[in-house]
Amino acid sequence: GNSVTQMEGPVTLSEEAFLTINCTYTATGYPSLFWYVQYPGEGLQLLLKATKADDKGSNKGFEATYRKETTSFHLEKGSVQVSDSAVYFCALSEETSYDKVIFGPGTSLSVIP
Amino acid sequence: EPEVTQTPSHQVTQMGQEVILRCVPISNHLYFYWYRQILGQKVEFLVSFYNNEISEKSEIFDDQFSVERPDGSNFTLKIRSTKLEDSAMYFCASSEQVSSYGYTFGSGTRLTVV
């Protein structure tokens, strides 16, 4: 079945460091891909998305590019801030099932001053 | 910015009791969802709801669960007879169009079954 795999955390970075969180997926067809973020004590927020191959989603300095050839959607940010500390979830929406989003296990990021 | 509102934020219930988790989706959204997140584990799909009926449900969503949109604004999840393993964070979400556009999630209800 369809699935999402993320790099295991927790990830700890110093402020202004470069961030990469790897995400790969298994899916039939052409799923839509997402990154959601969960700040401490809060719900899930859509961070960015890409709906077709080679699309780049971006928001708040974060970027991810839909790579069909490597089935990947890695999240990157050039310079992280303490306020970026959160759990990041990679997710996909199946092409053949419009109603369901499948989430990866989440990667916890801590940014220290 | 429009929000999905969930109440209560935390509910404690005794095993075997019925609970109703409430959600107010964004007003012009047409697709509604419930997900759950057991502590430290994945976010799992429970059910989707469109046009006043369930459009898809997972194997988790057994006969103990039901959803309803009783009055055109609220969207509720009922668990008929709670079990210890139902303890989780339950998230409601809504979407203007199909899920490929991304959801707006509520902040969740933490359900603790004792």
Side-chain angles (χ1 to χ4, degrees), chain B residues 34 49 66-71 74-78:
Chain B
W34 284 100
F49 192 87
S66 62
V67 289
E68 198 175 36
R69 190 158 159 78
D71 56 12
N74 290 286
F75 179 52
T76 61
L77 174 69
K78 182 193 292 186

Side-chain angles (χ1 to χ4, degrees), chain A residues 83-84 110:
Chain A
S83 57
D84 294 327
S110 292

Side-chain angles (χ1 to χ4, degrees), chain A residues 32 34 36 38 42-44 46 49 51 89 93 97-101 103-105, chain B residues 31 33 35 37 42-43 45 48 55-56 91 98-103 105-107:
Chain A
S32 294
F34 309 90
Y36 282 85
Q38 186 177 30
E42 298 185 16
L44 295 152
L46 178 64
K49 68 180 182 185
T51 56
F89 293 91
S93 171
S97 173
Y98 295 113
D99 296 323
K100 185 165 64 178
V101 171
F103 286 84
Chain B
Y31 298 81
Y33 310 87
Y35 282 75
Q37 184 182 29
K42 276 190 183 186
V43 179
F45 170 78
S48 57
S55 45
E56 189 166 352
F91 292 105
V98 296
S99 59
S100 58
Y101 284 78
Y103 302 152
F105 277 90
S107 54

Side-chain angles (χ1 to χ4, degrees), chain B residues 87-103:
Chain B
S87 295
M89 186 74 114
Y90 288 81
F91 292 105
C92 174
S94 69
S95 178
E96 188 174 0
Q97 302 191 46
V98 296
S99 59
S100 58
Y101 284 78
Y103 302 152

Side-chain angles (χ1 to χ4, degrees), chain A residues 1-4 25-29 31 92-97 100 102, chain B residues 42:
Chain A
N2 297 339
S3 65
V4 177
Y25 67 89
T26 301
T28 52
L92 69 83
S93 171
E94 301 170 323
E95 186 181 29
T96 54
S97 173
K100 185 165 64 178
I102 296 170
Chain B
K42 276 190 183 186

Side-chain angles (χ1 to χ4, degrees), chain B residues 44-86:
Chain B
E44 301 173 295
F45 170 78
L46 291 178
V47 66
S48 57
F49 192 87
Y50 171 69
N51 201 24
N52 281 321
E53 60 183 23
I54 290 173
S55 45
E56 189 166 352
K57 60 183 181 179
S58 71
E59 61 229 22
I60 303 168
F61 194 88
D62 61 21
D63 291 344
Q64 294 297 313
F65 291 88
S66 62
V67 289
E68 198 175 36
R69 190 158 159 78
D71 56 12
S73 62
N74 290 286
F75 179 52
T76 61
L77 174 69
K78 182 193 292 186
I79 308 174
R80 239 176 296 281
S81 176
T82 50
K83 303 187 279 286
L84 293 176
E85 54 264 37
D86 293 327

